Amino acid sequence: MKRVIVGLSGGVDSSVAAYLLKEQGYEVIGLFMKNWHDDSVTISDECPWLEDSNDAMLVADKLGIPFQTVDLSVQYKERIVDYMFNEYEKGRTPNPDVLCNREIKFDVFMDIALELGADYVATGHYCRKATIEKDGEQIHQLLAGADSNKDQSYFLCQLSQSQLEKALFPVGELLKPEVREIAKAQGLITAEKKDSQGLCFIGKVRLPEFLQQQLKPKEGVIVEVDETFEIYNKPRPVFDTKTQELEALSKKPTYHLTDGKVVGKHQGAHYFTKGQRKGLGVGGTVEPLFVIDTDVNENIIYTGQGKQHPGLYRNVLFVSNDEVHWVREDLALQDGDTMAVLARIRYRQTLEKGTLHKVASGMYVEFENKQSAITEGQFVAWYLEDELLGSGVIS
C-alpha cells in the first residue's frame, strides 16, 4: 500500500484531499506545518496557526488518520522571510507563496515526508498532474485545475520534475463547491471555513507592519507624473534587430523628481509596489492615484492618475538566465529560439497571448497586449493550453 503524507493546513481543500486519498486506498498521514512563531505581527488576537492546527487535528481524527505537527519556522525564516525583506530592500516585490511551495512544501516538508517512508506528498492545490512518456522517459506535466476560477498552478510554477514526481493534487479535478459538498457530507469541521488570506502559512499578517519591523520607516515624497509626460509619447525608434527592440521595450522608464509634481509624503518607498492604489493617502485627484514606480535609492514613489495611466503599461519583460525555470526541461528553448505561449504575470490574471524569445543573457516575454504593472521580483509563468511549462522572476 502506497503511503501519502498530506500537508493538512486546517483548510477545506487539504481536508478533502486527505479524505479522497483515503478513499482511493492510500495509507494517509496528516502533517501540519508550523512556520511562524512571532505573534506580534498578526492582525488580531486570534492566533491563526493554533486554530488551523487544531482544525487539522480534528479533521485527521474524523478521518481516522495519524496526525502530527512539524515545526519548520527556522527554515521558513531563512528561506522565505529573509528573502522577502531582501527583495523589498532592493525595491522588488517578492512572491512568498511561489517560494513557499518550491522551498518549503515541496522541499523541506517533502524531505520530512520521504523520511517518514512516504511515496508521495499531497496538498490541497487546485491543479492537476499528468505523466507522459517521451523518448522512453517519464515526464510529469503540471496542468491547470479543473476549476478555472480557482486554478493554482501559478503558485507551483517553480516546481521541478523530481518534485512533481512525488506530488499528488487530489482536488485538482474538482470545483470548489464540490469540495465543500464533500467536506459537508463527511462532517469535516472545515466544510464552511473561509479561504485563508495573508502570507502563505504565517496567517493574517499586515505586510507594512511586518516589513516595518525590519525595514525602518523613512519619509519621502510622492510624485505625480502626468500622462502627457514626454517619455510616454516619444516616437518608437527603428531597431536593427528584434533583440534590440525587445531590450528597449523591456526597460521601464527612469523617472526623476522633476518629471512631475510632489503631491504628498510616504513612510518608505520599499513598502509600496507597482500598481498599488491603497495606502497613498493623497486625495483631491480626479481619478485615484496608482503607483507607477518606486525608487528605493532616492526614496521616491512615482504615481499616476487612473488605471489607464501609460506609466503602468508595457508589453515586454525580461528574465535573466539564472532565473529562468522550466518545469518541462525537455521543452527548454535554446538561444535564438522562440515559442508562442500563453502567460500571466500574477495569480488570477487571465492568460494572455505572448511569445518567448531566448537570447544569450536570458529570455524576453513579449505580450501581444500591453500588461498593467509588470513588477520586478514577481513571477511570470508560461503555458501551452492548460499546461504550465515554466516560469521566471521578472527582472
Side-chain angles (χ1 to χ4, degrees):
M1 189 194 261
K2 296 268 189 195
R3 176 178 290 180
V4 185
I5 301 247
V6 183
L8 281 181
S9 66
V12 66
D13 303 325
S14 60
S15 306
V16 170
Y19 165 73
L20 293 171
L21 290 165
K22 203 180 164 207
E23 287 294 285
Q24 289 160 21
Y26 289 101
E27 178 199 351
V28 182
I29 297 172
L31 228 53
F32 177 84
M33 285 171 254
K34 181 176 179 196
N35 288 347
W36 195 246
H37 282 301
D38 181 358
D39 297 326
S40 66
V41 286
T42 44
I43 283 181
S44 56
D45 300 334
E46 352 170 354
C47 182
W49 71 262
L50 243 161
E51 191 185 312
D52 289 341
S53 70
N54 203 26
D55 289 348
M57 186 172 72
L58 291 168
V59 165
D61 193 50
K62 183 86 184 167
L63 295 175
I65 61 174
F67 174 78
Q68 68 187 72
T69 300
V70 287
D71 189 331
L72 305 181
S73 49
V74 175
Q75 294 96 323
Y76 192 86
K77 184 181 176 314
E78 282 171 8
R79 296 193 189 198
I80 309 298
V81 179
D82 293 351
Y83 148 83
M84 279 171 56
F85 287 129
N86 199 353
E87 289 285 282
Y88 276 111
E89 267 177 325
K90 288 185 199 152
R92 305 208 317 179
T93 305
N95 190 318
D97 293 305
V98 172
L99 259 297
C100 186
N101 286 314
R102 182 182 85 191
E103 298 285 337
I104 303 290
K105 290 183 209 166
F106 291 93
D107 188 20
V108 179
F109 183 76
M110 190 172 255
D111 287 345
I112 291 171
L114 299 176
E115 276 169 30
L116 292 170
D119 297 288
Y120 298 104
V121 164
T123 61
H125 282 106
Y126 283 84
C127 61
R128 294 168 299 142
K129 173 178 124 174
T131 304
I132 55 172
E133 191 147 312
K134 184 174 167 182
D135 305 330
E137 279 189 47
Q138 280 207 335
I139 292 178
H140 304 288
Q141 297 176 293
L142 177 61
L143 307 170
D147 187 337
S148 57
N149 196 30
K150 286 292 296 178
D151 167 39
Q152 290 175 315
S153 56
Y154 176 80
F155 287 135
L156 301 168
C157 68
Q158 286 276 298
L159 294 194
S160 64
Q161 283 292 311
S162 58
Q163 288 172 314
L164 266 179
E165 184 189 349
K166 303 271 183 214
L168 294 176
F169 307 113
V171 301
E173 302 287 349
L174 300 172
L175 304 179
K176 183 77 185 204
E178 297 177 305
V179 169
R180 290 209 182 274
E181 279 306 307
I182 293 172
K184 216 182 282 177
Q186 296 309 312
L188 302 179
I189 189 165
T190 52
E192 305 289 339
K193 192 169 173 181
K194 282 224 294 279
D195 289 347
S196 70
Q197 295 298 323
L199 286 181
C200 154
F201 282 127
I202 293 188
K204 307 175 179 71
V205 170
R206 274 207 194 95
L207 206 52
E209 285 175 23
F210 186 52
L211 291 172
Q212 264 157 6
Q213 293 194 330
Q214 306 279 331
L215 309 176
K216 293 291 163 262
K218 184 164 87 179
E219 192 174 89
V221 293
I222 300 174
V223 173
E224 184 191 332
V225 180
D226 197 271
E227 60 185 32
T228 57
F229 181 47
E230 60 196 33
I231 211 166
Y232 303 138
N233 303 306
K234 274 203 310 223
R236 234 189 201 185
V238 177
F239 299 100
D240 296 340
T241 64
K242 181 68 182 176
T243 306
Q244 280 177 355
E245 180 190 0
L246 291 167
E247 187 182 6
L249 294 177
S250 71
K251 289 217 172 15
K252 59 177 189 177
T254 307
Y255 297 101
H256 304 93
L257 192 50
T258 50
D259 294 340
K261 58 177 192 213
V262 173
V263 291
K265 290 206 160 72
H266 62 80
Q267 288 307 307
H270 42 253
Y271 301 141
F272 290 83
T273 179
K274 221 173 275 189
Q276 183 172 337
R277 180 181 144 185
K278 294 191 174 73
L280 285 165
V282 177
T285 52
V286 181
E287 286 196 76
L289 290 182
F290 287 83
V291 176
I292 57 174
D293 205 6
T294 59
D295 181 339
V296 289
N297 297 325
E298 297 293 328
N299 199 30
I300 300 171
I301 293 175
Y302 294 98
T303 61
Q305 280 193 43
K307 265 199 175 74
Q308 301 307 318
H309 190 281
L312 282 170
Y313 289 89
R314 275 209 325 262
N315 73 322
V316 181
L317 61 84
F318 181 69
V319 179
S320 64
N321 269 334
D322 56 348
E323 294 191 311
V324 172
H325 170 77
W326 289 90
V327 176
R328 287 290 303 273
E329 295 153 15
D330 57 308
L331 297 179
L333 299 183
Q334 304 306 313
D335 293 357
D337 289 353
T338 60
M339 181 191 275
V341 292
L342 296 170
R344 56 168 56 108
I345 54 172
R346 59 181 67 90
Y347 173 54
R348 295 196 72 83
Q349 182 194 20
T350 50
L351 286 169
E352 299 269 336
K353 283 187 177 163
T355 307
L356 306 179
H357 299 264
K358 181 73 186 76
V359 296
S361 56
M363 190 150 70
Y364 289 102
V365 183
E366 179 184 27
F367 287 94
E368 205 169 277
N369 301 312
K370 287 194 168 185
Q371 301 299 306
S372 175
I374 290 177
T375 306
E376 298 77 31
Q378 292 278 304
F379 289 86
V380 55
W382 50 89
Y383 295 71
L384 282 185
E385 292 176 4
D386 63 350
E387 180 182 1
L388 193 158
L389 302 185
S391 66
V393 181
I394 300 169
S395 54

